[in-house]
Amino acid sequence: MSNSNAEWGEDTPAQAAGPAESAQPDAGEPNGFAVIEALNTENTQLKDRVLRTLAEMENLRRRTEREVSDAKTYGVTSFARDMLTVVDNLSRALEHLPAEARAGADPAIRSLIEGVELTARDLEAALGRHGVKKLDPKGQKFDPNFHQAIFEAPDESVPSGTVSQVVQSGWTIGDRVLRPAMVGVSKGGPKAAPRQEPASSRE
């Protein structure tokens, strides 16, 4: 019988088991689902890195634009502060000139006075073109962010805490105070009217 099996080419039990065993996956090879999961994880990490990089680049762009804008706006701060002394001197020279002296001055002196006035206006206009603005807070409510109180003056004609006198003009550059205005503040003015309660609450 064994010879006939060999003659007809029938597989022995060991030979028949060979193909089935070769069809099974090798334990050393990675599973298909594990590979996909690893690729998905790597893809998520790469997306996160790209988003973080884009966010950092956007923040850098905004910060650079802000720094460039600040440099353009506030780059003349020191120079503008030095120019305020010139503005103050011109203003004092004109303020201390009596009106009668100007009216009785000869044409040459009058021309000199007009030249000083023109220079003062041009200088203020030049500062304004660079974002430097003059503060003239007389009659306004005292604001410690922009004003520096140097004295209090009794004045019952205006509410207490009103700027009644400007001793020295203040200046701003952009959103910042270049020099606070030196002012006198009213004291002892009228108080705010008492709040009226609804009639229903008094009954």
Side-chain angles (χ1 to χ4, degrees):
M1 294 291 294
S2 59
N3 293 334
S4 60
N5 288 339
E7 293 176 356
W8 289 98
E10 292 182 2
D11 295 332
T12 61
Q15 293 174 336
E21 291 178 355
S22 62
Q24 294 180 358
D26 189 352
E29 296 181 358
N31 185 278
F33 292 103
V35 172
I36 295 175
E37 186 67 23
L39 290 175
N40 287 335
T41 301
E42 183 179 2
N43 187 41
T44 301
Q45 293 175 349
L46 291 175
K47 286 183 177 180
D48 183 65
R49 291 179 183 177
V50 170
L51 292 176
R52 289 177 181 273
T53 302
L54 292 175
E56 291 175 358
M57 292 177 63
E58 180 64 16
N59 291 336
L60 177 61
R61 183 186 66 80
R62 292 179 179 178
R63 184 166 58 251
T64 302
E65 289 181 351
R66 184 170 59 252
E67 290 175 353
V68 170
S69 177
D70 288 347
K72 182 178 179 181
T73 302
Y74 304 111
V76 298
T77 297
S78 297
F79 175 76
R81 188 176 287 112
D82 291 340
M83 289 298 99
L84 296 185
T85 303
V86 180
V87 175
D88 292 339
N89 290 337
L90 293 174
S91 298
R92 292 191 189 100
L94 295 172
E95 290 172 358
H96 287 83
L97 178 66
E100 57 273 13
R102 177 171 181 171
D106 57 53
I109 299 299
R110 193 177 297 116
S111 296
L112 176 62
I113 296 172
E114 292 174 354
V116 173
E117 290 176 337
L118 179 61
T119 302
R121 288 195 300 268
D122 287 347
L123 182 54
E124 290 188 15
L127 290 172
R129 288 193 294 271
H130 291 278
V132 183
K133 304 295 183 181
K134 186 177 182 180
L135 292 176
D136 190 9
K138 187 174 182 179
Q140 300 177 6
K141 183 179 180 181
F142 175 76
D143 186 346
N145 295 315
F146 297 95
H147 313 146
Q148 180 179 349
I150 58 176
F151 66 87
E152 289 184 326
D155 188 351
E156 298 183 356
S157 63
V158 294
S160 183
T162 300
V163 176
S164 58
Q165 184 177 350
V166 179
V167 179
Q168 186 180 64
S169 298
W171 294 82
T172 60
I173 179 169
D175 296 330
R176 303 176 185 176
V177 177
L178 184 62
R179 186 182 72 184
M182 300 178 66
V183 301
V185 183
S186 64
K187 181 181 180 181
K191 296 181 179 179
R195 180 180 179 183
Q196 297 291 333
E197 296 182 0
S200 59
S201 63
R202 295 196 299 265
E203 293 178 354

